[in-house]
Amino acid sequence: MKSDSIVIIPTYNEKENIENIVRAIFGLPQSFHILVIDDGSPDGTADIVKKLMVEFPEELHIVERSGKLGLGTAYIAGFKWAISHQYEYIFEMDADFSHNPNDLPRLYDACAKEGYDLSIGSRYVSGVNVVNWPMGRVLMSYFASKYVRLITGLDIHDTTAGFKCYKRKVLETIELDKIRFKGYAFQIEMKFTAYKCGFKIKEVPVIFINRELGTSKMNSSIFGEAMFGVMQLRWDSWFRKYPKNK
């Protein structure tokens, strides 16, 4: 089945989740294709995907990489693949159901029907919509977003969100090879760069549910990269000329 949309899902040891998330997305009334970027998962995640590709030969794709090369580089590889295959709407999504597949059409509509260039599944635009997170992590994430807004001037409540839909022109305009961060700060850098390029951004309220299966990849060093990275982003923005939305 043809689709103008592709959902990029980076994976590392997601054997408990990957088949369920693939089937959930393909079970939606609206057609979405999926590109899995697997960083050499030793648990056999890629093998599960390749078995599913027999069932979904046109809709499901995989890029296998040799090891853990960072979230940012996984998405950059996925963006380039999606651009080369002419998808119009390109999504970021986690494999662990913290992002609800049922919200994909809402992110799509914000771009395809409402005219926005980037839509963000936001945990904080209408309060704090997080389920099953320890309070310490909720507070860390919430105030990290507040800190990013203060330093960068971004008018976005959930600056660290990883559930997004881009129009292809956004990723074609952003100089992807100049994106420097590989971890948590990657999400901030992409939003900040889209903002500096003049693209229209909308936050779509979603409920974020902590994973039930598998192991979280989040740690304090990832937050540390974000905290110091935003200061570098702001400093560099004073001297960098950003390509503009045409």
Side-chain angles (χ1 to χ4, degrees), residues 64-238:
E64 295 182 81
R65 307 200 303 169
S66 59
K68 293 184 73 174
L69 303 175
L71 179 72
T73 65
Y75 273 126
I76 295 296
F79 294 156
K80 291 180 177 180
W81 190 99
I83 290 168
S84 71
H85 288 77
Q86 298 295 302
Y87 287 95
E88 188 60 35
Y89 301 98
I90 301 166
F91 294 76
E92 294 184 18
M93 187 177 186
D94 290 347
D96 60 8
F97 284 93
S98 56
H99 303 147
N100 189 337
N102 292 325
D103 289 324
L104 286 169
R106 297 171 61 228
L107 294 180
Y108 176 91
D109 287 348
C111 291
K113 297 181 180 179
E114 298 176 37
Y116 290 91
D117 303 306
L118 166 60
S119 59
I120 300 167
S122 177
R123 298 163 290 186
Y124 306 131
V125 71
S126 59
V128 178
N129 294 314
V130 178
V131 177
N132 292 337
W133 257 10
M135 182 55 65
R137 186 171 171 187
V138 173
L139 292 173
M140 186 181 294
S141 174
Y142 180 77
F143 285 108
S145 282
K146 290 286 190 183
Y147 167 79
V148 173
R149 292 185 73 189
L150 177 66
I151 298 297
T152 64
L154 271 174
D155 188 20
I156 295 172
H157 293 83
D158 195 348
T159 57
T160 60
F163 191 20
K164 294 184 283 184
C165 173
Y166 296 92
K167 282 185 177 176
R168 185 175 73 213
K169 68 175 183 177
V170 177
L171 299 176
E172 289 176 330
T173 301
I174 290 175
E175 297 163 304
L176 293 174
D177 290 332
K178 291 187 178 180
I179 300 297
R180 70 173 67 190
F181 294 112
K182 296 180 180 180
Y184 203 57
F186 167 81
Q187 302 293 4
I188 302 167
E189 185 175 8
M190 287 295 295
K191 295 180 189 73
F192 182 71
T193 306
Y195 161 75
K196 295 295 286 186
C197 290
F199 288 106
K200 292 173 60 181
I201 302 172
K202 179 178 182 178
E203 289 185 90
V204 177
V206 300
I207 297 174
F208 182 97
I209 301 174
N210 195 31
R211 69 162 63 233
E212 294 183 0
L213 300 173
T215 303
S216 173
K217 315 305 187 293
M218 191 64 63
N219 57 54
S220 58
S221 65
I222 292 174
F223 276 104
E225 180 198 50
M227 295 297 284
F228 293 106
V230 292
M231 290 188 284
Q232 188 67 48
L233 275 179
R234 183 62 173 171
W235 173 263
D236 290 347
S237 71
W238 294 337

